[in-house]
Amino acid sequence: MAASLLPSGATVDIDGDLALHLKRLSRKDPTTKLKALTSLSQLMEEKSAKELVVIIPQWVKAFEYKKLLLDYNREVRRATHDTMTNLVTVVGRDLAPHLKPLIGPWWFSQFDSIYEVSQAAKRSFQVLSSSLLAVAALYDIFFARSGSEYVIGESKYGVKSRSVALTFAEKWFSNHNYFLDFLKSQSPVIRSAAYSVIRSCLKNIPHAIGGGDMKVLAGTILGCFQEKNPACHSSMWETLFLFTKSFPNSWASVNVQKTIVNRLLNFLKNGCFGSQQVSYPSLVLFLEIVPSEAINGEKFLIEFFRSLWEGRSLSYSSQADQLAFFLAAEECFIWSLRNASRYVDGEDGIYHLQCKLVEEILLGLFWHDYLSSACSKDQDVLFSSYSLGHSNSSIQPIYKESREVVNSKYSRDHKESLGKCIIKIISGIHSIKHDLLLIFCSKFQAGCLDMFQKTEYSSQKMQKIVKFILLLDGVQKGETWPLLDLVGPTLAKSFPLIGTLDSPDAVQIILVSVSVFGPRKITQELTCSELGEEQFLKSFNEIIVPWCLKIFSPTTAARLDLLLALVDDECFSEQWDAIVSYIVDREKVGVDPAAVDRNCISVLAILMEKVRERTRKTALCQDNWHHELLDLVAVHVAQAYPPVGNSDAQFLCTVLGGGSKDDNISFVSWNTSVRIFLYSTVLGSFLFNGRNLSHRSMGSSDTVLEKTHFALDVLRGSSFSLSTVEAESELLQDILAAIFIIDWEFNWVNVSEHKFDEEHSGKTGTRLTFYEAVHDFRCKACGQLLKVFAVNSQKVLATTLTQAIKCMLFMDSIYCSENFISSCCRWALDIFELFCQDQVEEQQLLDQLLSKNELWPLWVVPDKTGARLRTDNVPTQVPKNSKFVALVDKLISKLGFDRIIAGSVFEASPSSAECSVGNLAISQSHYYRPWLAAEILCTWKWLGSSIFSSFLPSLISYVKSRDHGLSDSILRILLDGALVHGAGNGLNLLWHASADELEAVEEPFLRALASLLSTLFQEDVWGNDKAASLFKLLLEKLYIGDAVNSNCLEVLPSVVNILIAPLVIGYGDSMNNQHDLYRLSEFHSATVDWIKKAISFPPLNTWHTGEDMKDWLHLVISCFPVKITELIGGVKPGRYASHVERTTLYELFLKQRQGASAVINKLPLVQKLMSELVVISVGYCWEDFDEDDWKFVMHQLRFWIEAAVVMIEEIVENINQTLTDGPNDSNASLDKIKINVVSIDSFAIELARNAHVGFSLLCSLIKPWDKLQDGNVNPLGDDKWEFIIDRIFEGVLRLFFCTAVTEALANSHCPEASSIIALSRLDHHRFWELVASCSVQSSPHARDKAVKSLEVWGINEGAISSLYALVFSCKPFPPLQYAAFILLSTEPVAQSAITYCRDDGTTNNEDSLDTPSENARLREEISHKLEKLPHEVHEMDLVAHERVNVFVAWSLLLSHIVSLPSSSPERERLIQYVQNSTNPAILDCLFQHIPLDPYMGTSSKRKDIELPAEVSEAANAARRAVTSSSVLFSVELLWPIAPAKMASLAGAIYGLMLHNLPAYVRGWFSDIRDRSALSAIESFTKALCSPTLISNELSQIKKASFADENFSIVVSKSANEVVATYKKDETGMDLVIHLPPSYPLRPVDVDCTRSLGISEVKRRKWLMSLMTFIRNQNGALAEAIRIWKNNFDKEFEGVEECPICYSVIHTVSHSFPRLACKTCKHKFHSACLYKWFSTSHKSTCPLCQSPF
């Protein structure tokens, strides 16, 4: 706003109010002006000087202060003066810069005709008159020669005012002692103003100075050089000059030397005290006014220049100061030479003074300082002895400083400025007198000669000379003295000496001279010849060329620079031919190229490099530098083997050019360039042959490696010149291919884990150095080189590189690590990025990479029709093939399945420029690769991955998004391959095959087909219709005419095993529609036909190898699968079977059973088929079994299981013997354990596995039979069947204990042994899963017999320790661990699984709790976990094995506590163990798995909090544990360990602790000091656990049976309260027990609402007693109330209470006072007395203090 109120040009930082009132002053209305002035005056009193200074320009100029003073209104004029008074008062001296335009109107306003106005003007002016600057301004205005611009009234008034002012000024000047006293002021401002006033008076009223005052005034003004403040120097010099001009005789009235000269010299020595830019320009003026008779001219001038030079160091603070100094030095020196006649008389005297100035000042000061960076002894050489022709005196340096000091003071700019100053002075001397110039030139020449004659010379000094000669280039044109008098004679005399020196600096003096004066002139001076062209060439060829090329020395580079500098443009061809011919003997090279001297190559390399540099700077055509001898030498160097010398590569690089992108100049012909690359670049021959990729070999000899280094050096130095030989595309392709491949190998070696052995470390290190150099070259140059390639050449190179990658993968070498595969993938991606412009080119390059060779592909070959099977594959090539598949898998992960397998090419739609999905067209006709997918599936697994981990997920993802028939194409290829190659060993047909079971299939096509179908159906990519169509297709292929297709019959069972799930209806499900009925009828019909076909064969016992009956039985078995779920005991039929199917199947079973009864066939395949037939018969036909059938089934199941038991027990005994009596060598023991583990008969395990499946089916189907078949009798309900079933269970448990014992034996030996045992189970994981499942379903009787049989077995490990070893196994096997947990936590094992039995054989003893030392003694296996310090667990990883074991141990302990009766002593003993021996901080470890962030700072009433997965798992587990009083549900799903499962277990443990150890948890909760954590835990518990706990507690209290005639209970669930009423005789009381919302974290409140006949003391005691019982109860509240009620009863019965706890029944141990004092006879609880003794540290009675 302020800016808008001001006139244009006004500043914008003025206060807004000031700006407003200033603008109002321009109004015409006087009232407005008067108001504005009044407001401005008031504001000026309030504002600071800083705020008012900015308005002065506007006040003076913009708003025409003069007009206000002339306003017709007297009040406006008066107000203007008042405003001015306030302005001057505030701003003070800041008004000085504006006085000149202001002072005139202001002064004349004092003579206003109105008295009030004139008085106001005088008052304002009196404020100003205190300023000397104002006085000076007044004088300048009033006493100016021209008339005053400001006139008030008539001219007579002006004359009068001027006269009055003159009189006043004269009087004021004399009365104030000419203002000399002001020059003594401490303020520099006052002194400067005083100088201005004196100058004004001298200028305007010089007559006012009296003759008697002249001496004082002259001494002060002429001696003013003692003024040290630079702010005063400008006015000081003006006053000095004016005074000397006005009074020239004043110098005679003072002591000049003392008053003026000495002070002046000190002034100069101190650098003018900082006023360089003011004082230095004044010096030459000062010299002009100095009277010659007042001083000794010679002495004064010498001292003047010395003092001036001494103050130079203070004059370089800025560039302006430095320039002012040198300009003053130059002007003063020239003035002194020109005006020497003022101080001396006669020509000799003048010349003598001039010579002295030149010698002592120019040479002694200026030139000496210029060379000051040279060492002192060199300076002595330059200045020690120089004699003039007319004088025998020597000139010594006058001003000396150390080199370090000088260098630290003066910058490079100073040296250059000094040099220019000296040259200007010399130029001035030349114009004054030539003889004076010769003094300097003679000194310069003598110094240079002395310098060259010394064996030790200063390089810095020579550099100074060089720079000085360069500065001569700035001399005005037409002046010849620099060459003729200075440089020319010096070079002529020094040239012979320079030739004897190995000094590049000396040569550089000549070189610089050439650059300044030209080659011909310098050649003339050097050779003393004429300037003609012929004479010039003769001198150049005969003198200069031999001189520059005589030997190879340190000066060679400088001499070559000089040689090229002396080449004249007009004689270029002749001079260049002379140079090359002198270096290379034409005759010798033409006959024998090897005759070229090595030094010549080095010289040529340097020379051509300098030529290249010169061509960049000049416009000389590159063809002018071509020479046939250069081509000959270049070819010779390139084909030399080994290389001629170290400079060979440098020479070739310089002649080829191409060292940078802009360096496209070549000094050899095109043919020579091609020959150089062919001869020298052995990267394409010694290291890699692009035409024969499979025979790549690295040369290891030093000679080859040397040659490769040479070739690389040439390439690095001339890489951009390869564009000149583009026509030789094959050459370039080989070169670049070799570079790429070596770079790849370098990258792989850097990232690989492979380490070379010591024998090859040296050679490998040398090779890696070379690789690193190639890598650097590839990074810098290859990208640019590719741009010069034609499109076809780039395609050929890309193909070459892809084939190179392929060859490396198929080589037999150490390159078989995952790192190498990843490196190959990166290389391939680099190729795609470099050479592919679009996806079509990428697909073409992929075709090249995937093209067929003798090793790839191994199973499926692409052809024009799509794909065909390869019949000549060799199994030994599988590892190599898998490496290439690993590469393809990596490429799929990087580029996508659609681009590698589906061959998708995305092309932008031409109708739209936008890039969107709708504008993409997919073309798959040419690059479609289902054969590649089939090849990968057949390969199955490769380095770092497999089809299940990477390929199949990618395939499923692609097929779900856009199939386009790819999956069908892959299926057809695999199905054709499977039908050709057959089935081999096939799948396990009883259940749907897992990934491990699919891997066991040996035939690649069948394995790939099964895995593909399994994945497609499991992921719901294909459905029922697809399964039906595929089943129909297989049915059509089963017969070829009337003959059976044997391969199809072998493959069909495995395929049906996978198709059965989507093809049929599950067990217990119903059909949805008629289409399902048709599909099922077709399948059931085929199944019945197959069964009948199997029935048509004789029984299995008569089967012989070669018959196809086994394939039909396999097909039947595959049609009746069983389903094994992850849950223990989850075995059931896999599908619904029709009545016809069941009947026909039972017929097949009967035939085989009857045949087996007649003859027993021991063939393994027969036994396996029989076991599978028994399993499916039990699952689908058990309702049709009679007693004989069951007897056969039971016998076979028991037989197969017990056969496995015998085998496993034998292995266990061998391992036990090995670890007990075996060798001391641990490795030998481990080897024996491995041998025993491997000796397991897989066939026996397979039969036992099938038997377990059948037995599990029997158990799961028969148990609910009596519920489903009302009125019928259970066929297995007799005792004999129960006995057989128990015997089978006993065999299963023996197997289970065998693996547990083996685990315990191995674990006691070493961790490695334990790992061997644990890993051995993975080979038969399904068998051990079924063993675990059956063990969990076993009866207590069978378990007891199995435990007892183990105890009498004689193995070193018992049953319980074995179970603990299994549950805490280092290699978890989830089903076995869960089963071990079940056995440990249930009867009969649970009795002794947690605690040791007492010596008397009991575990329950009521008195055992009286003495704390007799607490429960837990088994070491579990106590070690429970008593582990919580901080150790707290620092473990959240899924650490040891942390899991600690949580499992707590789960076992809590499960055992829950299983015990609430009032049993064993339970109390365990709870007391928890209180005394464990640390409640274990709860902190539990909450590490339960993130409490959702509960931090939130209200517990909020229901809309979205819980994280871990919190949700923990919350659900805690609620379920509280409700079910069990953690089995969480332990069952614990393995394999995962964070969410650990959170579930932590939540379950916390819930069970809240339910069974409430006081224990409450004690931990009360010790938490972190308020946010405390609130979060309480919110979590109150929201998720407390409601269920409170409801359970109230329900148990309500159901409790402790109420009688004296005691009653009333429960209020709505209020969470229990009212207990106790009445006895005429006394009674009502106690209210209130459960808090966060129970049990917060204590229960107890209040007495009514009491009758009870004293206050007893009421309070009973109230505290109930509260103590409830709060200390680790169990149900109902039990606490019951114990408290019993305590009341005993007290009313007269039983004496314990004097320590004031209770009859102890609040923790629930025992009675039994220990009596022999003195006072009082009885105490043993626990209370023990605590008293422990805390008081004495064994006296608490009451009578007598010894107890």
Side-chain angles (χ1 to χ4, degrees), residues 704-776:
V704 173
L705 203 55
E706 181 183 1
K707 189 64 177 177
T708 56
H709 274 288
F710 169 75
L712 179 61
D713 291 340
V714 174
L715 275 180
R716 284 189 299 191
S718 59
S719 56
F720 289 91
S721 67
L722 287 173
S723 59
T724 61
V725 293
E726 183 185 358
E728 295 290 332
S729 59
E730 185 174 329
L731 169 64
L732 293 182
Q733 290 161 15
D734 285 353
I735 293 173
L736 291 181
I739 291 172
F740 272 101
I741 294 170
I742 296 172
D743 178 54
W744 292 344
E745 189 165 355
F746 168 76
N747 291 330
W748 174 73
V749 171
N750 281 341
V751 301
S752 68
E753 300 176 354
H754 175 72
K755 303 297 180 184
F756 297 100
D757 54 23
E758 295 182 359
E759 180 181 355
H760 299 90
S761 60
K763 296 181 180 179
T764 304
T766 305
R767 191 197 303 177
L768 290 181
T769 303
F770 169 71
Y771 286 177
E772 187 173 0
V774 174
H775 171 72
D776 293 339

Side-chain angles (χ1 to χ4, degrees), residues 843-904:
Q843 292 296 331
Q844 293 172 351
L845 203 54
L846 274 173
D847 281 345
Q848 293 293 330
L849 179 65
L850 301 172
S851 61
K852 176 187 175 183
N853 62 18
E854 59 184 8
L855 301 175
W856 164 266
L858 196 61
W859 311 105
V860 184
V861 179
D863 60 8
K864 295 181 180 179
T865 60
R868 60 180 176 82
L869 303 180
R870 183 169 179 173
T871 57
D872 59 339
N873 48 16
V874 182
T876 56
Q877 302 299 339
V878 172
K880 297 180 181 180
N881 188 73
S882 64
K883 286 199 300 182
F884 191 76
V885 170
L887 170 63
V888 176
D889 181 62
K890 292 283 185 183
L891 290 175
I892 291 173
S893 66
K894 298 295 183 181
L895 298 179
F897 188 91
D898 53 343
R899 291 162 68 177
I900 303 298
I901 303 298
S904 301

Side-chain angles (χ1 to χ4, degrees), residues 28 143 269 486 880 1044 1154 1241 1348 1433 1623:
K28 294 182 178 181
F143 305 130
K269 290 177 182 179
L486 187 65
K880 297 180 181 180
V1044 176
Q1154 294 169 359
D1241 185 2
K1348 290 179 179 179
V1433 181
K1623 295 179 179 179

Side-chain angles (χ1 to χ4, degrees), residues 1170-1208:
M1170 181 59 72
S1171 66
E1172 293 172 347
L1173 183 59
V1174 168
V1175 169
I1176 64 173
S1177 299
V1178 170
Y1180 290 90
C1181 309
W1182 64 274
E1183 297 177 7
D1184 299 324
F1185 282 4
D1186 56 17
E1187 184 173 351
D1188 293 335
D1189 298 329
W1190 283 117
K1191 185 184 296 184
F1192 174 79
V1193 169
M1194 292 295 186
H1195 171 77
Q1196 290 295 330
L1197 295 179
R1198 182 179 175 187
F1199 172 77
W1200 290 323
I1201 291 174
E1202 288 188 351
V1205 170
V1206 172
M1207 178 185 64
I1208 297 297

Side-chain angles (χ1 to χ4, degrees), residues 83-125:
T83 304
M84 192 66 171
T85 301
N86 292 337
L87 177 63
V88 175
T89 302
V90 175
V91 300
R93 69 181 64 175
D94 292 331
L95 190 64
H98 309 279
L99 277 177
K100 198 156 191 176
L102 192 65
I103 198 67
W106 198 359
W107 168 265
F108 286 108
S109 65
Q110 298 177 92
F111 304 99
D112 195 288
S113 59
I114 305 301
Y115 177 77
E116 293 83 359
V117 177
S118 65
Q119 290 300 312
K122 289 179 181 178
R123 285 194 300 271
S124 66
F125 200 80

